[in-house]
């Protein structure tokens, strides 16, 4: 029992390979996609109001209070890195936006608060999670404000099989993932529980199917943003590779990866971005004592045709 055994020799790990080796099989050009740089910094919409503590201040926000005039809560608390995927969409006035895995609704709220979209479709495959979206919007959008009510729709459908093709200008694919921060803090519903092993192992396939489906539902010239809240290389860059290689092999869709490394620099005051990590397609926010947001991986993909 006291003998040293290398991890690779443990029973059941005879065929162990590194997670990062699973998807690096071909070069990007061999499967048909290229990279373009986003030269302009990420835009902060003028109507978007975001509040955060200064660097190094780890105080808890007070509980949201009810605005008795508008009958809504006065702010929505969420991980600050959750703002980044919506900003990466670069929503323009009048656009049709799909939040594919929208529950509990925080990113939908951000998109609506910009006052830019013509319509935001908030989708989730689960009825209970769809009800969470409805509750979030009820708590934070004043009843009777038609500018919001007209431009918000909640749907319940399988995100892996979107019926509408080439129907959206922008799509956010914030997928179910390992939820690293939540898994560290909570045991009750951790994805690492032995009873959820099958679910955990199936995540990359689900994620790549969701992303591939979104790229078929966005119009040529439109943008899809893929995001997770995990550090897993397979669920981040790996899923982007899997989805795009699948589309290259099975469809005539062409895409380009949008390199946002320059565009996100102005947000370095708010986030600690990972560098020299070997990322090929996206940016990642790393939690730290000074910038305690994330993890959040974001990859931006533009459909060419």
């Amino acid at each position: 029992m006291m003998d040293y055994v290398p991890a690779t020799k443990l029973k059941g790990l005879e065929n162990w390979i590194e997670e990062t080796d699973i998807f690096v099989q071909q070069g990007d050009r061999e499967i048909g996609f290229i990279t373009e740089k986003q030269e302009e910094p990420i835009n902060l919409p003028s109507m978007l109001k975001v509040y955060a503590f200064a660097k190094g201040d780890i105080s808890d926000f007070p509980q949201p209070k009810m605005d008795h005039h508008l009958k809504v809560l006065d702010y929505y608390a969420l991980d600050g890195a959750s703002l980044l995927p919506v900003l990466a969409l670069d929503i323009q006035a009048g656009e049709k936006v799909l939040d594919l895995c929208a529950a509990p609704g925080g990113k939908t709220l951000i998109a609506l608060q910009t006052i830019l979209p013509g319509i935001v479709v908030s989708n989730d495959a689960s009825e209970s999670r769809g009800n969470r979206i409805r509750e979030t919007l009820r708590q934070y959008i004043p009843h009777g404000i038609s500018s919001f009510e007209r431009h918000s729709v909640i749907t319940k459908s399988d995100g892996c099989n979107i019926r509408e093709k080439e129907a959206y200008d922008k799509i956010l694919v914030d997928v179910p993932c390992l939820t690293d921060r939540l898994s560290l803090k909570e045991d009750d519903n951790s994805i690492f529980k032995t009873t959820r092993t099958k679910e955990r192992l199936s995540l990359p396939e689900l994620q790549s199917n969701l992303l591939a489906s979104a790229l078929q539902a966005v119009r040529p010239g439109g943008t899809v943003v893929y995001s997770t809240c995990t550090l897993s290389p397979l669920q981040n860059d790996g899923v982007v590779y899997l989805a795009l290689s699948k589309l290259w092999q099975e469809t005539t869709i062409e895409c380009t990866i949008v390199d946002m490394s320059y565009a996100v620099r102005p947000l370095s005051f708010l986030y600690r971005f990972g560098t020299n990590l070997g990322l090929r397609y996206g940016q990642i926010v790393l939690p730290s004592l000074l910038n305690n947001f994330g993890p959040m991986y974001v990859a931006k993909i533009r459909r060419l045709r």
Side-chain angles (χ1 to χ4, degrees), residues 2 20 36 50 100 106 121 138 200 219 250 257 263 299:
M2 301 302 293
T20 50
E36 65 179 52
V50 182
L100 187 59
V121 178
R138 186 192 66 79
R200 185 175 72 252
R219 65 169 178 80
E250 299 178 3
I257 300 291

Side-chain angles (χ1 to χ4, degrees), residues 61 65 112 193 195 246-247 261:
F61 273 97
K65 296 179 180 179
L112 287 170
K193 290 178 65 174
T195 54
K246 177 181 179 180
L247 289 178
S261 54

Side-chain angles (χ1 to χ4, degrees), residues 261-285:
S261 54
Y262 173 79
V264 299
R265 286 181 187 175
L267 298 179
S268 295
F269 77 95
L270 186 62
Y271 305 128
R272 178 194 172 200
F273 289 102
T275 57
N276 301 318
L277 298 177
L279 290 175
R280 299 161 68 189
Y281 311 128
Q283 308 296 315
I284 194 163
V285 175

Side-chain angles (χ1 to χ4, degrees), residues 33-85:
F33 59 93
I34 56 176
T35 300
E36 65 179 52
K37 286 187 177 292
Q38 181 172 328
E39 301 292 349
E40 296 296 322
I42 276 186
N43 179 50
L44 292 171
S46 59
M47 294 300 294
L48 191 60
K49 305 300 179 186
V50 182
Y51 300 90
F53 288 112
K55 276 187 179 182
D57 188 338
I58 59 173
S59 303
D60 290 332
F61 273 97
Q63 287 295 315
K65 296 179 180 179
M66 179 65 69
D67 184 311
H68 295 290
H69 176 65
L70 296 175
K71 306 299 182 185
V72 293
L73 297 177
D74 56 357
Y75 74 87
Y76 184 88
L78 78 172
D79 187 304
S82 295
L83 179 68
L84 187 58

Side-chain angles (χ1 to χ4, degrees), residues 163-231:
R163 294 179 182 178
E164 302 168 288
K165 305 301 181 185
E166 302 184 359
Y168 296 92
D169 299 296
K170 304 287 170 66
I171 301 180
L172 175 60
V173 188
D174 185 53
V175 294
C177 67
L178 293 180
T179 57
D180 295 2
R181 184 184 287 262
L182 180 65
S183 296
L184 283 172
K185 294 174 65 177
E186 295 188 14
D187 292 329
D188 291 344
N189 196 36
S190 172
I191 190 70
F192 291 96
K193 290 178 65 174
T194 54
T195 54
R196 300 184 70 184
T197 299
K198 185 176 181 180
E199 178 187 354
R200 185 175 72 252
L201 295 177
S202 67
L203 280 173
E205 181 181 6
L206 171 63
Q207 293 160 341
S208 61
N209 287 339
L210 287 166
L211 178 54
S213 178
L215 287 164
Q216 294 174 75
V218 76
R219 65 169 178 80
T223 297
V224 172
V225 168
Y226 172 79
S227 63
T228 76
C229 52
T230 179
L231 298 171

Side-chain angles (χ1 to χ4, degrees), residues 15-26 233-234 238 241-242 280:
N15 297 318
W16 171 265
I17 58 175
E18 289 290 340
E19 187 182 69
T20 50
D21 293 337
I22 294 175
F23 61 89
V24 184
Q25 299 173 4
Q26 294 177 288
L234 175 56
Y241 177 91
L242 290 170
R280 299 161 68 189

Side-chain angles (χ1 to χ4, degrees), residues 244-264:
L244 292 180
S245 59
K246 177 181 179 180
L247 289 178
W248 173 253
Q249 294 165 12
E250 299 178 3
T251 74
T252 59
I253 292 173
E254 294 184 7
C255 301
T256 181
I257 300 291
V258 180
D259 178 1
M260 295 189 296
S261 54
Y262 173 79
V264 299

